[in-house]
Amino acid sequence: AALLPLMADKESPAKRPRVGGSAASIVAVLFLSVCLSPNRVTGASVPTVSLALDSKCILGESPVWDAKMRRLHFVDINGKKLHSYDPQTSKCSTVEVGEEVGCVVPYRKQRVLIAGVSQVWQVDFAGGKKGETGEGKLLPGQVASVPDSEMEQMENEGEDPTLQPLPGFRFNDGKCDPQGRFLVGTMNKDWRDPAARKGKLFRMVEPLPLKNEEDLDGMVHQFGPFPVLKPIIDDVILSNGMAWGRSEGRDASQPFDIFYFIDSALQTVDRFKFDSETGDLDLSSRVTVVKVPTVEEGGGVPDGMTIDSNGMLWVALGESGSVAQYDPKTGEELMRVKLPVQRPTACTFGGDDLCDLYVTTREEKGESASKNHGGLFRVRIDGVKGMDA
């Protein structure tokens, strides 16, 4: 059967999951000044920002709304945890993964996929009764792994060589496209070094029937019971935000035909033509649609990204204390929402009406550290909501 995760908008077998306790939502509503072009966002009002969950993440990332479970999933990459937040009860289930975990996406039934260092795993949130949501259990057995081209051979005295993940590499941000295909990027922790080996963006595809070896693109060993991670963009320095949209003139009844992608090291949002039937990208169509100013120029590091119902992009600007809305047709910044922390990482729309913009953040250190750094924040702006996929 085709691998079709549910709709989804950033590392050895893991430890037995441990369930975290509930946490009351600490709400501190801030009325903030924003840069807004009224003619661009019809009906938009001054944003309100509140702390949804004091999650205390070291590196919170990859927020994604799970419409079936009515939960907001996100990860703490360096904390090696998966969080699943219920906004109705303000409770959060926490699963200890046992390795760095780059991202999470909704999957079949009450399961999610998580990308660790070099492998993709499943976490099952099924409860004791049919349809009931439980606390989360990491399932044994990988779903997929990076191809051998992204591994290195280790010599073992007296034994056959084994393959190990490339040192310093891990999965980073990931999302599912509107048809449910999982995309995930790899990154080198030494990405700031211009000479360092670069990462790639992969798409997970189901196994193909075995054919002649020369037809298998050198990956015959990958075919069989497991999905395959197929590289779709090479030479990615710091793979991050992704979103899908429609060309001008297309309405909601027509397929998505645009893919937006952030390589944080380039300070850009790039656009590709996207084939909704195959999931393929037209690499020759790549064009920069947003150039984000650096921190020194008053901008930030473009990180996680989502898209609203008007086709506008929302980008978490690392080290800026804000998220910004951009028009991908003009590259213009339409709105900037200031947060009560300095290091936002990613954002997504959630809630039953997709009117809440959730923002993950990361740890701050020193005397100037913000009070709720590493927390999950909720932004609400009248007239702004997420796009249905």
Side-chain angles (χ1 to χ4, degrees), residues 135-168:
E135 300 293 350
K137 178 182 179 182
L138 185 66
L139 300 182
Q142 69 186 43
V143 175
S145 177
V146 294
D148 287 359
S149 60
E150 306 302 305
M151 308 279 273
E152 70 172 6
Q153 185 169 288
M154 301 292 292
E155 298 296 332
N156 301 304
E157 188 174 351
E159 300 179 6
D160 292 334
T162 57
L163 291 173
Q164 300 291 335
L166 292 171

Side-chain angles (χ1 to χ4, degrees), residues 55-109:
S55 48
K56 302 185 187 304
C57 289
I58 302 172
L59 179 50
E61 264 285 3
S62 184
V64 58
W65 178 249
D66 190 323
K68 186 169 185 178
M69 283 194 269
R70 302 177 73 190
R71 287 192 180 191
L72 192 284
H73 307 301
F74 62 105
V75 301
D76 183 349
I77 297 178
N78 293 351
K80 305 177 183 180
K81 298 174 183 178
L82 165 66
H83 296 296
S84 183
Y85 169 67
D86 183 347
Q88 303 299 316
T89 64
S90 297
K91 293 183 178 180
C92 183
S93 299
T94 299
V95 178
E96 297 280 355
V97 177
E99 63 182 23
E100 292 170 304
V101 53
C103 63
V104 54
V105 294
Y107 192 46
R108 299 167 173 168
K109 299 181 179 178

Side-chain angles (χ1 to χ4, degrees), residues 18 55 79 84 97 103 106 137 162 180 236 240 273 281 285 332:
R18 185 180 71 195
S55 48
S84 183
V97 177
C103 63
K137 178 182 179 182
T162 57
V236 178
N240 262 311
K273 290 181 181 178
L281 304 179
S285 70
E332 178 186 357

Side-chain angles (χ1 to χ4, degrees), residues 129-381:
K129 298 179 181 179
K130 186 176 181 179
E132 183 180 63
T133 299
E135 300 293 350
K137 178 182 179 182
L138 185 66
L139 300 182
Q142 69 186 43
V143 175
S145 177
V146 294
D148 287 359
S149 60
E150 306 302 305
M151 308 279 273
E152 70 172 6
Q153 185 169 288
M154 301 292 292
E155 298 296 332
N156 301 304
E157 188 174 351
E159 300 179 6
D160 292 334
T162 57
L163 291 173
Q164 300 291 335
L166 292 171
F169 271 77
R170 65 165 173 82
F171 283 125
N172 202 43
D173 209 354
K175 283 190 178 181
C176 287
D177 73 14
Q179 283 68 42
R181 292 172 288 239
F182 180 38
L183 276 67
V184 61
T186 54
M187 61 165 284
N188 189 334
K189 294 179 182 179
D190 292 328
W191 62 270
R192 292 178 181 85
D193 179 358
R197 176 169 174 159
K198 295 179 175 61
K200 297 180 180 179
L201 182 66
F202 294 88
R203 184 177 73 240
M204 191 171 82
V205 296
E206 62 179 321
L208 299 176
L210 286 174
K211 299 179 180 179
N212 296 327
E213 185 170 349
E214 59 267 22
D215 296 330
L216 296 178
D217 197 27
M219 295 192 294
V220 62
H221 59 282
Q222 291 283 345
F223 289 74
F226 298 111
V228 175
L229 291 176
K230 174 185 176 182
I232 56 174
I233 303 179
D234 294 329
D235 296 325
V236 178
I237 304 172
L238 184 53
S239 181
N240 262 311
M242 295 172 240
W244 287 261
R246 295 182 177 90
S247 299
E248 192 169 4
R250 286 196 167 215
D251 61 32
S253 67
Q254 296 175 292
F256 292 83
D257 64 340
I258 292 175
F259 173 63
Y260 297 106
F261 178 64
I262 290 176
D263 185 334
S264 296
L266 304 180
Q267 292 286 142
T268 62
V269 179
D270 290 351
R271 183 187 67 209
F272 296 79
K273 290 181 181 178
F274 166 72
D275 187 324
S276 63
E277 291 189 9
T278 64
D280 291 338
L281 304 179
D282 179 355
L283 299 182
S284 67
S285 70
R286 184 173 186 168
V287 61
T288 294
V289 294
V290 176
K291 180 67 175 177
V292 179
T294 64
V295 175
E296 294 74 19
E297 295 168 334
V301 180
D303 198 337
M305 174 173 60
T306 191
I307 190 168
D308 66 28
S309 60
N310 293 316
M312 302 297 109
L313 301 174
W314 290 82
V315 180
L317 299 180
E319 312 303 327
S320 77
S322 60
V323 292
Q325 182 196 44
Y326 294 96
D327 185 339
K329 297 183 183 67
T330 66
E332 178 186 357
E333 181 180 311
L334 305 178
M335 180 189 299
R336 188 177 295 201
V337 179
K338 195 69 179 172
L339 302 167
V341 291
Q342 287 301 309
R343 309 183 78 188
T345 56
C347 55
T348 195
F349 286 98
D352 293 338
D353 56 4
L354 296 180
C355 286
D356 293 318
L357 181 68
Y358 286 97
V359 184
T360 50
T361 65
R362 65 185 300 176
E363 182 181 51
E364 300 173 27
K365 296 181 179 181
E367 295 182 359
S368 62
S370 307
K371 180 179 179 182
N372 297 120
H373 61 90
L376 174 70
F377 290 84
R378 182 191 293 113
V379 179
R380 182 169 278 254
I381 310 167

